Amino acid sequence: MIQLKNLSKKYGKFTAVDNIDLHVERGELFGFVGPNGAGKTTTLRMIAGILRPTSGRVLLGGDDVVTNPMSAKARLGFIPDRPFLYEKLTGAEFLRFVAGLYGQDGTVVEKRSNELLDLFELTAWKDQLIEAYSHGMRQKLIISSALIHRPEAIVVDEPMVGLDPRGARLLKDIFRAFVKKGGTVLMSTHTLEIAEAMCDRVAIIQSGSIVVSGSMAELREQTEAGDASLEELFLKVTGGAAAKELAAVLED
Ligand code: ATP
């Protein structure tokens, strides 16, 4: 469903994403993890069609995001790490506005919008201006807006940040239900326990390249990591030695 082919992004001379190949299948929940500055957000933004790749391609359900953006983007719901909301709209107006961007309006949108607001416990707030929403409520509204046009795939950057435990649990349940029905989720996260517990496959990205990817069992095999957790595996692959050295220095 989400295919990255030799995907690269350079900022000037600096290569942020270096020749990535990845295929996230329909019905799959895929985790993207890596240290700060590894290239996760840059990759997700290229998938969403917000950043133009320097080279390589992004295909969504076979549609190229650069050459066929309308059909590609119609398949996708994107939840960015730093979302933008129009503060002077109400929650309900914002959802109507986003649906309009996808060419949808009328009673179908009203029904869908009410369902989502209900699901995220925002119904009581739907006619309040967004400027009065808390951080978590904004996050829930953004997630609702990414689902309003019934996308086939969701790409999400750090989904759990700012959500209370109920909200985080709800989001996990929504993602699992979404992939069970044949949807696709690609999510980046620093919360490795969540990635390990939720994802069918995980890729660890470092310095713009995928170092390892696969199911937890495959990752353990590839890295000869015994029964290691994703956190242990992550530190092994991305330079856990440095952390150990630091601990030794602090002990001295
Ligand atoms: P984090 O986990 O810290 O959010 P990330 O894996 O999402 O990191 P990116 O935001 O994709 O990383 O950044 C990858 C690299 O590209 C970093 O070195 C960053 O400084 C650089 N970078 C990102 N955006 C730009 C930009 N607009 N101009 C120049 N360099 C950039």
Side-chain angles (χ1 to χ4, degrees), residues 106-199:
T107 48
V108 179
V109 169
E110 285 310 306
K111 190 164 170 277
R112 176 78 171 156
S113 168
N114 286 335
E115 275 169 15
L116 288 165
L117 290 165
D118 206 28
L119 183 66
F120 284 101
E121 298 172 340
L122 289 174
T123 302
W125 290 84
K126 72 177 192 169
D127 297 321
Q128 300 287 324
L129 295 185
I130 293 170
E131 65 186 12
Y133 283 30
S134 73
H135 180 73
M137 288 160 68
R138 286 161 191 250
Q139 183 72 351
K140 288 174 178 176
L141 187 63
I142 282 288
I143 297 163
S144 303
S145 74
L147 294 168
I148 191 88
H149 61 296
R150 298 189 182 275
E152 295 165 50
I154 301 171
V155 167
V156 49
D157 208 352
E158 281 292 347
M160 307 301 171
V161 174
L163 290 181
D164 63 19
R166 264 167 78 98
R169 178 59 196 266
L170 177 66
L171 194 61
K172 283 188 217 169
D173 290 346
I174 288 172
F175 283 173
R176 283 259 51 114
F178 184 72
V179 294
K180 207 169 166 201
K181 281 199 278 179
T184 306
V185 177
L186 170 59
M187 75 172 188
S188 93
T189 180
H190 286 299
T191 318
L192 300 180
E193 303 82 53
I194 289 180
E196 180 169 355
M198 280 182 70
C199 296

Side-chain angles (χ1 to χ4, degrees), residues 22 24 28-34 185-189 191-205 210-220 222 230-231 233-234:
L22 187 70
V24 186
E28 188 173 34
L29 209 163
F30 196 99
F32 217 39
V33 304
V185 177
L186 170 59
M187 75 172 188
S188 93
T189 180
T191 318
L192 300 180
E193 303 82 53
I194 289 180
E196 180 169 355
M198 280 182 70
C199 296
D200 302 305
R201 286 194 297 150
V202 172
I204 301 180
I205 175 170
I210 291 178
V211 195
V212 282
S213 84
S215 64
M216 275 306 295
E218 286 164 347
L219 293 188
R220 288 189 186 109
Q222 285 171 42
L230 182 58
E231 183 185 25
L233 244 156
F234 179 96

Side-chain angles (χ1 to χ4, degrees), residues 94-113:
F94 182 73
L95 292 185
R96 220 173 289 138
F97 166 72
V98 174
L101 295 177
Y102 288 99
Q104 299 183 1
D105 56 17
T107 48
V108 179
V109 169
E110 285 310 306
K111 190 164 170 277
R112 176 78 171 156
S113 168

Side-chain angles (χ1 to χ4, degrees), residues 16-121:
V17 173
D18 194 5
N19 221 12
I20 283 186
D21 276 296
L22 187 70
H23 190 177
V24 186
E25 312 275 353
R26 283 181 200 274
E28 188 173 34
L29 209 163
F30 196 99
F32 217 39
V33 304
N36 291 132
K40 301 179 296 295
T41 297
T42 302
T43 305
L44 299 191
R45 289 171 69 97
M46 286 193 281
I47 298 172
I50 294 168
L51 262 183
R52 211 181 167 88
T54 307
S55 57
R57 299 175 74 196
V58 175
L59 301 175
L60 297 176
D63 290 319
D64 190 305
V65 170
V66 174
T67 58
N68 204 359
M70 293 290 272
S71 344
K73 289 179 186 179
R75 297 178 188 277
L76 188 74
F78 178 51
I79 307 171
D81 61 339
R82 275 171 287 171
F84 180 81
L85 284 159
Y86 291 100
E87 304 268 320
K88 296 294 179 192
L89 292 183
T90 66
E93 283 168 346
F94 182 73
L95 292 185
R96 220 173 289 138
F97 166 72
V98 174
L101 295 177
Y102 288 99
Q104 299 183 1
D105 56 17
T107 48
V108 179
V109 169
E110 285 310 306
K111 190 164 170 277
R112 176 78 171 156
S113 168
N114 286 335
E115 275 169 15
L116 288 165
L117 290 165
D118 206 28
L119 183 66
F120 284 101
E121 298 172 340

